[in-house]
Amino acid sequence: MQITTIGLDLAKNVFQVHAIDTDGVPVVRKALRRSQVLPFFKELPPCLVGMEACGSAHFWARELTALGHAVRMMPPAYVKPYVKRGKTDAADAEAICEAVTRPTMRFVPIKNSEQQAVFMLHRVRSTLVRQRTMVMNALRGHLSEFGIVAAQGSANLAKIVEGSLAPPDQSVIPDLVRAALLPLVKQIAELATQIRSVEMELLAWHRQSKVSRRLETIPGVGFITATALTAAVGDPSHFKNGRQFAAWLGLTPRANSSGGKERVGRISRMGDSYLRTLLVLGSTSVLRFARNRAGGNADWINGLLARRPAHQVSVAMANKTARVVWAVLAREQVYIAPAPIAA
């Protein structure tokens, strides 16, 4: 028995293995407990191991790679068409084993522990920001019940809260309402402190990362976006060109072409929504700065603004920024602003 390819269906406790030999004949179909996975693969000669890119996939990919195996991770959506019938762990492992051998299959790069750690900081920050927004919206809703309405923005809300939740003898709202809303105010302050703490960790890592500092030279890319892209992308050679990288982020139009007729629609939104959001927000800030200015990218931006709404222009700029990001990563150089064109 010579095992050449293995499909490994990951789980919390029970893992499913489907192995085939050089002729493609199944030779092993078994379930493994978590403690049995590494001993099982230690006894095997180096082979191709396929798995879906899901929770804990990067950890197991690093562990199996250290044992000498060639690990390939695939998006679950690309594995689904190879499931013959039903939904079982055994059927999923067989589908993974079949999909990993396809010559046109697209694979997910394996992240190292540092990349995962940095991206986890981003996920934690995103969660804290979302929680702060939820509490602020709740606070706005409660204050509006007493006719106190604040304009958009956290600074405006803070001013209203400072005047509304004054000491009991100066407050314009009942004491019970003040007692109910003070915990929300304290929670907003605590979340803001935690967000700043996470951002300081990201800034410290950004300052010691050459790749992240190169990305920061691109207009519309700050240290938050730079560290997120550095942690998410890793090796730019996985993408053939800048357009493929932009398509990976979901910033290119979705194609629906047939019969020789080219039809393109809105952006596909197929990639990481967090990275896409950061690029669009950065492009929006550049757009605001470039309005009614001349030279460099401002002429191109104002030309688009004359024909399209501002939000569409921001998305188009994010698409262009993504291609610049790939060029900076692939060529290992800083951003070079376009030279002005002579009249």
Side-chain angles (χ1 to χ4, degrees):
M1 181 178 63
Q2 183 179 358
I3 296 177
T4 58
T5 307
I6 296 177
L8 177 62
D9 183 52
L10 302 178
K12 181 187 293 185
N13 295 316
V14 181
F15 298 67
Q16 187 71 32
V17 172
H18 183 94
I20 61 176
D21 60 11
T22 54
D23 297 326
V25 178
V27 292
V28 176
R29 291 173 176 166
K30 63 185 303 184
L32 299 174
R33 304 292 298 182
R34 173 176 287 270
S35 59
Q36 299 173 329
V37 174
L38 290 181
F40 172 80
F41 281 95
K42 284 181 181 178
E43 300 297 328
L44 297 179
C47 57
L48 175 64
V49 180
M51 61 179 67
E52 292 179 330
C54 55
S56 74
H58 292 278
F59 165 77
W60 287 110
R62 291 194 300 268
E63 293 293 321
L64 297 183
T65 300
L67 296 178
H69 300 286
V71 182
R72 299 289 183 269
M73 296 193 307
M74 300 162 288
Y78 293 171
V79 177
K80 183 63 176 177
Y82 294 93
V83 179
K84 293 183 174 64
R85 180 178 294 181
K87 175 67 177 72
T88 63
D89 292 344
D92 290 346
E94 182 180 357
I96 293 170
C97 186
E98 174 68 21
V100 76
T101 60
R102 299 301 90 197
T104 58
M105 179 56 63
R106 298 175 183 177
F107 301 107
V108 177
I110 301 173
K111 290 184 176 65
N112 56 41
S113 57
E114 185 180 21
Q115 286 178 285
Q116 277 195 286
V118 173
F119 212 68
M120 189 173 294
L121 282 175
H122 279 275
R123 295 302 189 192
V124 171
R125 177 183 176 273
S126 179
T127 301
L128 294 174
V129 170
R130 186 165 58 251
Q131 290 177 351
R132 183 180 62 175
T133 302
M134 292 170 59
V135 178
M136 290 174 64
N137 289 339
L139 184 59
R140 285 177 182 274
H142 294 317
L143 289 174
S144 67
E145 294 290 336
F146 287 86
I148 302 173
V149 179
Q152 289 186 354
S154 58
N156 294 319
L157 178 62
K159 293 178 183 178
I160 295 296
V161 169
E162 184 178 356
S164 304
L165 303 182
D169 56 340
Q170 304 175 10
S171 179
V172 297
I173 60 176
D175 292 345
L176 288 178
V177 175
R178 181 176 179 274
L181 297 185
L182 278 177
L184 297 183
V185 176
K186 293 179 181 179
Q187 187 175 357
I188 292 174
E190 292 174 358
L191 288 171
T193 302
Q194 294 172 358
I195 292 171
R196 284 195 296 270
S197 176
V198 173
E199 289 177 349
M200 292 304 296
E201 293 287 344
L202 288 173
L203 182 59
W205 187 85
H206 164 74
R207 288 172 175 170
Q208 58 88 29
S209 172
K210 295 180 180 179
V211 177
S212 184
R213 292 202 307 271
R214 285 202 302 267
L215 291 179
E216 195 184 22
T217 62
I218 303 173
V221 176
F223 79 92
I224 295 292
T225 307
T227 51
L229 289 169
T230 304
V233 178
D235 186 5
S237 63
H238 291 283
F239 306 97
K240 185 169 59 175
N241 49 40
R243 188 190 185 285
Q244 193 176 89
F245 177 65
W248 178 69
L249 293 173
L251 287 169
T252 54
R254 180 191 292 271
N256 187 21
S257 305
S258 179
K261 295 182 179 180
E262 297 291 333
R263 297 185 182 92
V264 294
R266 300 177 179 179
I267 59 172
S268 65
R269 300 183 182 181
M270 297 294 288
D272 192 309
S273 60
Y274 178 69
L275 296 176
R276 189 167 57 252
T277 300
L278 291 178
L279 289 173
V280 172
L281 290 176
S283 299
T284 302
S285 66
V286 175
L287 183 149
R288 292 175 179 172
F289 180 79
R291 280 184 184 272
N292 302 321
R293 294 176 181 269
N297 288 329
D299 295 335
W300 177 74
I301 294 172
N302 289 317
L304 287 179
L305 286 173
R307 306 189 305 271
R308 291 288 186 269
H311 183 67
Q312 291 185 12
V313 177
S314 295
V315 174
M317 292 171 58
N319 187 346
K320 186 174 183 178
T321 302
R323 302 178 188 223
V324 174
V325 166
W326 178 85
V328 169
L329 291 174
R331 299 170 187 173
E332 298 184 356
Q333 63 183 24
V334 299
Y335 171 77
I336 302 174
I341 301 175

